[in-house]
């Protein structure tokens, strides 16, 4: 039975996962009816749809994560993040092995993230992977981080051939599969959407724990329904966020100076005359950037004639984004597939899963060629485990 | 690339016409459906002329204020470009109280900006609040259809004739795109589906029955258009057309240079001479960049 351990550390999360692909199973995930739930099934009172996941196409034996959080108002620096990963990686591997109850002999390959990501954290985790490979005498499998997200999303949700929206702190891509490649139809031309959210959180001094985007989402839920005007930058199937970030940062500073001025002169919404709050800024930012993402996803779906959409990546946990995507997909007669924070946010299990798929097709990364790369495009990977 | 009319039936059933069309007696025939809009063939009730109605349905997933703002901006941007190109007058005044805004009628024989009058559909009516725009109906087939319809004859003479006709058509495409760029407009989605071939003889009863490649090339669907005079934007516009042409007409792909030659050299292009050559040089850069190259599906 193929078993793989996966090590992920391309950003501020260190993840270690151990996966098992049961025998006599096709390598591709089953149809939605077998293991996964689409949007509408989730709400219908169908207890069997979740019950069946007790015999999924893949078995997750362990999925551990430890996150490096910097204080509010700051971001995570590569040097500190790498030090965090080095400090935790041995502990996490030991815990994962204990939790999974597998022996070293049971492991078939050591999978690790080759890229894309931050250089220093990537290489410290790669060193750990190489060490394990030498120590245990197991082959190494270098995995593209984006492909890891996509394959895990497909395995968990059972989406067969969806258009994929991959949104995280480092990546924003609209992807569809064609002829053994995950092709990028649209992407962010400057900064990633998660980066835009994270950096805005820093200006408002929103805590980074558990995640800046999560805290923005919670704040936005308390907004008073005011929608301020931000730039809207969609170019065909591409998007751009830097102008939006600059504008919303200006707004945050304006809000701050209005609060500190004496006598207090609150900033009022021109439409409703309600005083603007930080929650309104969070709400406005979310509504604008998510509308852009749903728009380019819809355009890609129209282009390739797809009705399923899968959201992966850290920003994919956001319930407002999921809800907007759900309405769009329903209007097109399709449905949205999504996962929760265990699989959306960077994790080791997705690296183990994608690596094991490649390994079963005979792919191995030689020790001499196991260097990491900060730039590693999704469409560079030959996806020969799908037809 | 707007031929996504496949799953139209279901979406159409969900879609309600905005007023005044919800109570109109005219018939509406769905022609095409993209991600953004639905295109219908109907009649302009004021004049009785055939018309194209482009409806941008409300996007329920978007915040209503944002949705209104975007729909308004996009309809106006498209209409402004069309009005500018067809040389229609623009309502002047309105700032002086008591003075009614007047729409300048185009003079007899006026050709519009860069002579594009008649080479883009004229705007008949629009309502940005309710999200629709009506333009005149352009007779004929799409250029894509026209090229697909021509059959290479068996005899060498016929083959040669078809080749000459195709080249001639491609030169007319190059010319009209040149005119467009010279007037400061970037189409944004140049494909052979977004070009109509309107027979010279308007009395041709059924333009679809002929496989002739004669006719004026009329540009349609300015939904992604922008106003710009930069070489880069123009080159990207040509690059989009080149890629789309190659994937739609693989057998005719090697004839595409005719478009570029006419664009930069033909008298009627408006981009002839130095400017056109600069754009073509820029086009080589755009091709080389290849960021998009390996990714467009």
């Amino acid at each position: 039975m193929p078993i793989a351990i996966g090590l992920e550390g391309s950003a501020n999360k260190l993840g270690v996962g151990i996966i098992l692909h049961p025998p006599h199973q096709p390598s591709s995930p089953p149809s939605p009816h077998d293991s996964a739930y689409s949007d509408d099934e989730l709400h219908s009172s169908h207890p069997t749809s979740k019950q069946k996941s007790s015999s999924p196409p893949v078995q997750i034996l362990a999925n551990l994560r430890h996150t490096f959080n910097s204080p509010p108002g700051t971001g995570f620096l590569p040097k500190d993040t790498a030090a965090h990963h080095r400090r935790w990686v041995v502990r996490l591997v030991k815990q994962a092995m204990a939790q999974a109850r597998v022996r070293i002999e049971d492991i078939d390959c050591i999978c690790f993230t080759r890229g894309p990501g931050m250089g220093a954290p990537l290489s410290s985790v790669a060193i750990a992977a190489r060490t394990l490979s030498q120590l245990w005498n197991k082959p190494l499998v270098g995995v593209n981080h984006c492909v890891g997200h996509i394959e895990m999303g497909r395995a968990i949700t059972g989406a067969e051939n969806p258009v994929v929206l991959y949104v995280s702190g480092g990546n924003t891509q609209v992807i569809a599969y064609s002829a053994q490649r995950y092709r990028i139809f649209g992407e962010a031309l400057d900064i990633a959407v998660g980066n835009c959210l994270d950096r805005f959180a820093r200006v408002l001094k929103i805590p980074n724990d558990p995640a800046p985007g999560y805290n923005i989402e919670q704040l936005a839920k308390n907004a008073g329904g005011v929608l301020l005007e931000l730039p809207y930058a969609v170019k065909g199937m591409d998007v751009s966020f830097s102008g939006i970030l600059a504008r919303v940062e200006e707004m945050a500073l304006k809000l701050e100076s209005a609060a500190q001025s004496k006598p207090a002169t609150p900033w009022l919404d021109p439409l409703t005359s309600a005083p603007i709050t930080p929650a309104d800024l969070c709400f406005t930012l979310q509504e604008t950037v998510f509308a852009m993402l749903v728009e380019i996803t819809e355009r890609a779906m129209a282009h390739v004639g797809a009705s399923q959409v899968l959201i992966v990546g850290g920003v994919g946990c956001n319930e407002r984004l999921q809800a907007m995507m759900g309405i769009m997909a329903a209007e097109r007669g399709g449905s949205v597939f999504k996962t929760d924070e265990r699989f959306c946010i960077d994790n080791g299990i997705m690296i183990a899963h994608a690596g094991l798929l490649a390994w079963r097709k005979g792919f191995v990364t030689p020790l001499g060629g196991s260097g990491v790369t900060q730039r590693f495009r999704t469409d560079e990977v030959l996806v020969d485990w799908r037809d | 690339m707007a031929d996504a009319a496949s799953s139209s039936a279901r979406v159409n059933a969900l879609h309600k016409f905005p007023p005044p069309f919800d109570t109109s007696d005219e018939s509406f025939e769905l022609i095409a459906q993209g991600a953004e809009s639905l295109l219908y063939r109907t009649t302009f009730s004021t004049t009785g002329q055939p018309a194209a109605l482009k409806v941008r349905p409300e996007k329920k997933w978007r915040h209503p204020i944002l949705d209104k703002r975007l729909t308004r901006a996009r309809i106006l941007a498209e209409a402004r470009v069309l009005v500018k190109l067809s040389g229609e007058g623009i309502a002047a005044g309105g700032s002086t109280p008591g003075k009614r805004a007047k729409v300048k009628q185009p003079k007899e024989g006026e050709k519009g900006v860069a002579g594009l009058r008649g080479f883009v559909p004229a705007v008949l009516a629009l309502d940005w609040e309710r999200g629709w725009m009506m333009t005149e109906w352009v007779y004929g087939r799409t250029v894509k259809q026209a090229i697909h319809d021509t059959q290479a004859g068996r005899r060498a003479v016929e083959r040669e004739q078809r080749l000459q006709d195709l080249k001639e058509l491609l030169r007319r495409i190059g010319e009209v795109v040149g005119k467009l760029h010279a007037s400061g407009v970037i189409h944004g989605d140049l494909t052979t589906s977004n070009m109509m071939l309107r027979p010279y003889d308007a009395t041709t009863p059924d333009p679809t029955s002929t496989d002739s490649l004669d006719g004026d090339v009329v540009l349609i669907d300015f939904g992604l258009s922008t106003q710009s005079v930069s070489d880069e934007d123009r080159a990207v516009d040509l690059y989009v057309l080149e890629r789309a042409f190659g994937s739609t007409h693989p057998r005719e792909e090697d004839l595409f240079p005719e478009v570029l030659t006419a664009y930069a050299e033909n008298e009627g292009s408006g981009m002839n001479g130095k400017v056109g050559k600069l754009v073509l040089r820029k086009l080589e850069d755009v091709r080389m960049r290849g960021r998009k190259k390996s990714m467009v599906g």
Side-chain angles (χ1 to χ4, degrees), chain A residues 169-203:
Chain A
N171 292 283
T172 304
Q173 299 177 341
V174 181
I175 300 157
Y177 174 81
S178 159
Q180 302 206 322
R181 302 268 167 189
Y182 284 114
R183 283 167 214 274
I184 303 168
F185 280 75
E187 61 187 316
L189 298 171
D190 39 37
I191 57 172
V193 62
N195 191 240
C196 179
L197 295 171
D198 292 355
R199 285 162 69 175
F200 173 66
R202 271 178 237 165
V203 181

Side-chain angles (χ1 to χ4, degrees), chain B residues 32-219:
Chain B
Q33 189 211 347
E36 299 271 297
S37 59
L38 301 153
L39 184 73
Y40 295 92
R41 183 191 171 134
T42 182
T43 314
F44 184 39
S45 47
T46 310
T47 59
Q49 73 190 103
L53 176 69
K54 187 172 184 174
V55 182
R56 289 174 178 269
E58 185 194 350
K59 300 280 186 198
K60 295 216 170 51
W61 43 267
R62 227 159 26 201
H63 191 287
I65 296 176
L66 182 61
D67 188 59
K68 274 247 151 68
R69 211 179 90 206
L70 292 173
T71 304
R72 177 194 145 100
R74 286 169 183 183
I75 287 187
L76 284 178
E78 183 171 4
R80 279 193 186 115
V81 161
L82 289 178
V83 166
K84 170 180 172 169
L85 293 177
S86 52
E88 302 288 343
I90 292 170
S95 53
T96 331
K99 205 175 168 190
R100 273 188 62 201
K102 264 189 201 154
V103 176
K104 188 188 82 188
Q105 284 296 321
K107 292 194 194 80
E108 193 66 33
E110 199 172 305
K111 295 219 175 75
V113 181
L116 269 172
R117 185 173 169 74
F119 290 93
V120 296
V123 179
L124 298 174
L126 60 84
D127 184 342
W128 61 74
E129 288 296 325
R130 299 200 168 97
W132 59 266
M133 179 176 75
M134 194 180 258
T135 62
E136 66 180 353
W137 184 258
V138 179
Y139 283 99
R141 298 163 290 169
T142 62
V143 168
K144 174 183 172 183
Q145 194 58 47
I147 295 178
H148 283 171
D149 285 349
T150 58
Q151 299 294 326
R154 243 171 244 168
R155 304 210 321 269
V157 201
E158 285 173 13
R159 279 208 299 273
E160 183 55 28
Q161 184 58 44
R162 174 176 181 272
L163 194 64
Q164 290 311 318
D165 289 352
L166 270 172
K167 283 185 174 173
E168 178 52 39
L169 172 65
L170 293 180
R171 283 196 284 268
R172 267 176 283 143
I173 292 175
E175 238 179 75
V176 78
V177 174
K179 278 181 187 156
L180 181 76
H181 285 181
S183 61
V185 173
I186 304 299
H187 186 281
D189 190 18
L190 284 174
T191 64
T192 47
S193 320
N194 283 338
M195 297 174 185
M196 301 295 293
L197 188 62
R198 183 181 56 202
Y200 293 131
D201 182 3
T203 56
T204 309
D206 180 11
T208 50
S209 67
T210 160
D211 70 350
S212 159
L213 291 178
D214 284 347
D216 288 320
V217 174
V218 179
L219 299 173

Side-chain angles (χ1 to χ4, degrees), chain A residues 235-275:
Chain A
K235 297 159 192 200
M237 282 192 248
D238 293 333
V239 284
S240 154
F241 295 109
S242 54
I244 295 173
L245 176 63
R247 184 76 190 94
V248 78
E249 281 177 348
E250 275 174 30
M251 287 176 167
L253 295 175
K254 182 177 171 183
L255 194 62
E256 201 180 340
S257 64
Q260 286 170 355
S261 65
K262 283 175 191 158
T265 43
W267 174 21
L268 302 177
D269 176 42
L271 285 177
T272 59
S273 316

Side-chain angles (χ1 to χ4, degrees), chain A residues 110-139:
Chain A
I110 317 282
C111 311
F112 71 104
T113 311
R114 276 204 71 192
M118 287 176 130
L122 276 176
S123 41
S124 38
V125 176
I127 289 169
R130 280 180 218 124
T131 310
L132 286 180
S133 159
Q134 299 284 81
L135 210 57
W136 295 348
N137 197 20
K138 304 285 180 191

Side-chain angles (χ1 to χ4, degrees), chain A residues 60-136:
Chain A
I60 293 153
L61 304 178
N63 186 17
L64 300 178
R65 181 194 299 137
H66 198 272
T67 307
F68 170 64
N69 282 321
S70 57
T74 63
F76 51 92
L77 296 171
K79 188 180 70 176
D80 305 336
T81 312
H84 164 269
H85 291 358
R86 283 196 297 270
R87 200 172 317 127
W88 281 88
V89 70
V90 174
R91 225 174 307 181
L92 246 64
V93 170
K94 278 184 173 167
Q95 285 180 16
M97 291 295 282
Q99 198 184 75
R101 293 164 193 261
V102 290
R103 295 163 303 171
I104 291 170
E105 306 90 88
D106 300 332
I107 304 268
D108 288 293
C109 57
I110 317 282
C111 311
F112 71 104
T113 311
R114 276 204 71 192
M118 287 176 130
L122 276 176
S123 41
S124 38
V125 176
I127 289 169
R130 280 180 218 124
T131 310
L132 286 180
S133 159
Q134 299 284 81
L135 210 57
W136 295 348

